[in-house]
Each structure stands twice: as structure tokens, then as C-alpha cells.
Amino acid sequence: MSRSTTIKRITNETKIQIALSLDGGEISLEESIFPKEKHDEHAKQLSGNQLINVQTGVGFLDHMLHALAKHSGWSLIIECIGDLHIDDHHTSEDVGIALGMAFNKALGPIKGVKRFGSGFAPLDEALSRAVVDLSNRPYAVIDLGLKREKIGDLSCEMIPHVLESFAQAASITIHVDCLRGFNDHHRAESAFKALAIAIKEAISKTGKDDVPSTKGVLS
């Protein structure tokens, strides 16, 4: 079965649509929410079996989600129009929520997958660790130790919040820690890459059709 989906999430603060395939491959949206003159094809990357095009209006958030998709093996399209005239909070939070919703819907019942995954990713002097449980019990512990106020246009306080929002909407448990590093860009990026590696392992298929729990259910 195809582990893919498209979703729309519209509020008074953001308008978001996402196409996601957990196994890569071709994906598309019916119609872009952007006016044609503002549609940015420069954000699009097509390589191998993956199509990635993330446009949230917040450049560093795009960069982090692109890294997450790339190293998870996903194909991912995200379009967001948010109230960036206020700040980056609603856009960042709502994109995290919408991506979690898409992940949960694309994954479907947690059967025939490893369930648990872990990963380490370095970026120069920075090193991060991530552990994932497809638990259907949302929880997030994020410790990145970021010191700057912003990286690009993204508030550093929003970076862990994006991951928390994703975990909550995806109904998964994640622990993400940056173990060392002094450059905040490197610390954040290594964390997203580590999470991608952990997710890729957790959702990998076992060839069986069982629920990976002693309870027989994950709820």
C-alpha cells in the first residue's frame, strides 16, 4: 500500500497544504496556494526517487524541513501562507502540526514496521542524537542548547517547538538532543538530520503484518 497523503489545514493565521510520501516517489498537489508570480521553483529539488519542495516563508525552517525529508527518504511538498507580518510563531507551529498530521495519515495503522528508531548525525563540530517511538502516545523531549535569538528569520525558541508540534500531531514519541557543538546552525541542522535517520528506521517495513507491541495494540 502507498504510504502517502495530501492534507490542507486552514486557520485564521495560516493556510497550509502538504503532499507527503514516506517512501519517496512522485507526489503532487492539485493546485498551488501561491499566486503564479510568487511560485518559487528554486525551492524544488528532484533527485533520485525524491521530490522535495518546501516553501513556508521562513527560510531556515524550509532548510530544516528539507533536511528532514531528504534524510528520511520522503518526498515532500509544503506550501504555507502565514501571518509573518506578526512574527514566525504561527507559521512555524502550524507547519509542524500539519506535517505531523500528514505523517500520521500517511503512516496509517502501525503494523509491519520496526516502530523504534535511533540516529546520530554530525555536522562539523556539532553532534546530535534522536530516538523515535511510533507509540501513538505523543511526547517530545527536545534539548538543542541553542543560544542565538534567531537563525535567519527563524526564532531559535521555535525550533524545538516545531519538533514538539510535529510529535504531538504525529502521535509519536521523540527525544532529540544536541550532544555538542558551538555553532547554532550546525546544532539545529544536525538535530533534524538525526531525527530523519531515526524516523527512517522506525517506519522501515519488517515484511510482517504484526503490531509491534506486547499489548497487541498501539493506542
Side-chain angles (χ1 to χ4, degrees), residues 7-175:
I7 68 163
K8 290 184 180 180
R9 186 177 187 272
I10 299 173
T11 72
N12 290 333
E13 297 163 343
T14 58
K15 183 178 182 181
I16 299 168
Q17 61 177 0
I18 294 177
L20 170 65
S21 171
L22 299 182
D23 302 304
E26 293 186 10
I27 56 172
S28 62
L29 297 167
E30 285 188 12
E31 186 178 1
S32 174
I33 61 175
F34 298 129
K36 287 186 178 180
E37 63 272 15
K38 292 188 177 181
H39 190 71
D40 184 9
E41 286 293 323
H42 290 94
K44 184 176 180 179
Q45 182 187 53
L46 179 61
S47 60
N49 193 42
Q50 288 179 274
L51 168 65
I52 303 172
N53 191 347
V54 180
Q55 299 183 58
T56 69
V58 182
F60 192 70
L61 179 59
D62 292 356
H63 183 41
M64 294 299 96
L65 296 179
H66 191 118
L68 179 66
K70 179 66 177 179
H71 297 287
S72 294
W74 301 346
S75 285
L76 176 66
I77 300 172
I78 299 178
E79 294 185 346
C80 175
I81 299 174
D83 55 2
L84 293 176
H85 62 284
I86 296 176
D87 66 8
D88 61 336
H89 186 102
H90 297 141
T91 291
S92 302
E93 179 181 65
D94 288 4
V95 166
I97 292 170
L99 182 57
M101 292 169 59
F103 177 88
N104 182 266
K105 186 178 177 184
L107 183 62
I110 303 168
K111 297 175 65 177
V113 294
K114 286 189 176 181
R115 174 182 169 181
F116 299 105
S118 61
F120 289 82
L123 182 54
D124 294 348
E125 87 297 345
L127 175 66
S128 292
R129 171 188 61 205
V131 183
V132 169
D133 179 7
L134 307 179
S135 57
N136 213 18
R137 296 164 62 176
Y139 204 86
V141 179
I142 315 295
D143 186 1
L144 304 185
L146 303 176
K147 297 178 176 63
R148 290 165 57 178
E149 180 181 353
K150 285 190 169 186
I151 306 175
D153 291 329
L154 181 61
S155 304
C156 282
E157 68 177 4
M158 289 308 302
I159 295 173
H161 190 53
V162 167
L163 297 178
E164 291 162 355
S165 300
F166 169 74
Q168 189 73 28
S171 290
I172 64 176
T173 295
I174 64 173
H175 290 252

